[in-house]
C-alpha cells in the first residue's frame, strides 16, 4: 500500500496549485491551509488538476474532495507543506530542537523524523499521517451524503491498489475517535508529525474541531511544551 506516494501527490498538488495561481492570488487569502489549497478557491477539488495522472492521482482526487471542502483556517499565500511530505518531518524536527533548547537539556538521541528515515520507515510514518488527516477532515462532524458519495466514487477507481482503496474506505467510515488515531503513532516523532498534519487542517475557531485537536494531543501523549512548539511551527510556516 503506497500511502507515501499518495501523500506526496496530495501535498505537492497544493504547491502546484499555488504556483499556478501566482500573481494576483499571492496578495489574497486562500481558502485555508491544506484544505483550501487542495480544494482550490473555487471548491472544485483536485479532480481536474490530477485527472489522468495515475492511481496515486485518483487517490489524491478522493482525498482532495475530503479535505478541500472543509472550512479551515484562513492562511496567507504560503503553505507549510510547500516541499511535500518531507517538510512535515522538517517542521517536527525544528519543534523538537526549539523545545529541547527551551528546557536547556540535550536530547538523548537525534529525533528520527520522516525527513531522516529510510523508505520503509517513511511509509509507516506516511500511513499514520494519512490516518490523522482523514480524521481531522471529519472533526467538524459534517461529511454530508453528497461528499461521501463523491469520495467513495473516487475510491472505486483505485483498481491498481485495492489495499489502499479498502483502507481509505474503512478510515472514512469509522466513527471519529482520537484514541484510535493516536494508536497509529508507534514513535514520539510519528505522534508529532500526526499532530502537525492535524493542526494544519483543523479550524481552531470551531469548538468541535478544537476539542478534537486537544484530545488528540492528550492521546498522543505530547508534552505540553512540545505541543505548543509544534503549533508554533505550523503558524510560522503558514503566514
Amino acid at each position: 500500500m503506497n500511502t507515501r506516494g499518495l501523500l506526496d501527490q496530495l501535498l505537492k498538488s497544493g504547491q502546484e496549485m499555488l504556483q499556478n495561481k501566482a500573481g494576483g492570488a499571492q496578495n489574497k487569502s486562500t481558502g485555508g491551509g491544506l484544505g483550501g489549497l487542495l480544494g482550490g478557491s473555487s471548491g472544485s477539488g483536485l479532480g481536474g488538476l490530477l485527472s489522468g495522472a495515475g492511481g496515486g492521482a485518483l487517490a489524491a482526487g478522493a482525498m482532495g474532495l475530503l479535505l478541500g471542502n472543509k472550512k479551515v483556517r484562513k492562511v496567507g499565500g504560503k503553505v507549510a507543506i510547500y516541499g511535500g511530505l518531507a517538510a512535515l518531518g522538517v517542521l517536527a524536527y525544528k519543534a523538537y530542537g526549539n523545545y529541547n533548547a527551551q528546557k536547556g537539556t540535550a536530547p538523548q538521541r537525534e529525533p528520527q523524523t520522516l525527513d531522516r528515515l529510510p523508505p520503509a520507515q517513511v511509509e509507516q510514518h506516511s500511513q499514520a499521517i494519512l490516518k490523522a488527516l482523514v480524521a481531522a477532515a471529519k472533526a467538524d462532524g459534517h461529511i454530508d451524503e453528497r461528499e461521501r458519495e463523491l469520495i467513495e466514487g473516487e475510491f472505486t477507481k483505485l483498481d491498481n491498489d485495492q489495499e489502499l482503496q479498502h483502507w481509505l474506505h474503512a478510515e472514512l467510515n469509522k466513527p471519529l475517535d482520537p484514541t484510535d488515531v493516536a494508536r497509529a503513532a508507534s514513535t514520539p516523532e510519528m505522534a508529532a508529525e500526526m499532530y502537525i498534519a492535524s493542526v494544519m487542517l483543523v479550524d481552531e475557531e470551531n469548538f468541535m474541531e478544537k476539542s478534537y485537536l486537544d484530545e488528540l494531543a492528550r492521546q498522543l501523549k505530547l508534552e505540553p511544551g512540545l505541543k505548543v512548539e509544534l503549533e508554533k511551527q505550523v503558524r510560522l510556516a503558514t503566514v
Side-chain angles (χ1 to χ4, degrees):
M1 187 168 77
N2 183 17
T3 52
R4 178 186 181 182
L6 168 58
L7 270 175
D8 252 340
Q9 182 83 49
L10 271 171
L11 304 184
K12 290 179 180 178
S13 292
Q15 177 183 352
E16 183 177 342
M17 189 173 288
L18 195 63
Q19 291 171 338
N20 289 342
K21 294 184 177 182
Q26 289 180 343
N27 299 319
K28 299 176 182 178
S29 285
T30 57
L34 177 62
L37 284 167
L38 290 176
S41 59
S42 65
S44 58
L46 287 176
L49 179 64
L50 298 175
S51 60
L58 290 170
M63 287 303 298
L65 287 167
L66 175 60
L67 304 181
N69 290 323
K70 300 295 106 180
K71 292 181 179 179
V72 293
R73 289 182 300 116
K74 297 287 183 182
V75 298
K78 294 183 180 179
V79 63
I81 45 157
Y82 195 71
L85 179 60
L88 291 173
V90 172
L91 292 181
Y93 187 86
K94 287 180 181 178
Y96 272 110
N98 291 348
Y99 177 55
N100 288 324
Q102 290 165 11
K103 290 196 303 181
T105 58
Q108 295 180 345
R109 63 181 180 83
E110 191 84 354
Q112 297 300 296
T113 48
L114 61 75
D115 55 311
R116 297 163 184 269
L117 295 174
Q121 292 180 49
V122 170
E123 175 61 27
Q124 185 181 11
H125 281 232
S126 298
Q127 185 166 331
I129 291 167
L130 185 56
K131 184 182 183 77
L133 282 174
V134 174
K138 298 189 293 185
D140 65 356
H142 300 289
I143 297 180
D144 62 31
E145 285 307 310
R146 179 178 172 276
E147 286 178 305
R148 189 176 296 275
E149 288 175 9
L150 288 169
I151 294 162
E152 293 284 3
E154 291 292 329
F155 286 170
T156 61
K157 299 175 185 177
L158 295 174
D159 295 331
N160 63 328
D161 197 337
Q162 289 290 324
E163 186 181 4
L164 178 58
Q165 177 184 340
H166 293 152
W167 185 84
L168 285 167
H169 176 87
E171 291 300 317
L172 176 64
N173 287 287
K174 278 182 179 178
L176 185 64
D177 183 357
T179 304
D180 175 68
V181 176
R183 276 197 289 267
S186 58
T187 68
E189 293 89 343
M190 202 180 296
E193 292 156 1
M194 292 171 68
Y195 188 69
I196 283 175
S198 301
V199 171
M200 285 179 181
L201 193 61
V202 163
D203 179 1
E204 294 186 75
E205 295 181 3
N206 179 296
F207 176 78
M208 289 178 65
E209 297 184 52
K210 181 63 166 61
S211 298
Y212 167 77
L213 199 61
D214 289 341
E215 182 59 26
L216 178 64
R218 282 191 288 271
Q219 295 298 331
L220 288 169
K221 297 180 172 57
L222 296 176
E223 296 178 29
L226 178 59
K227 175 181 180 289
V228 169
E229 189 59 40
L230 292 167
E231 293 167 352
K232 178 182 175 182
Q233 289 301 319
V234 174
R235 286 196 301 272
L236 290 173
T238 56
V239 295

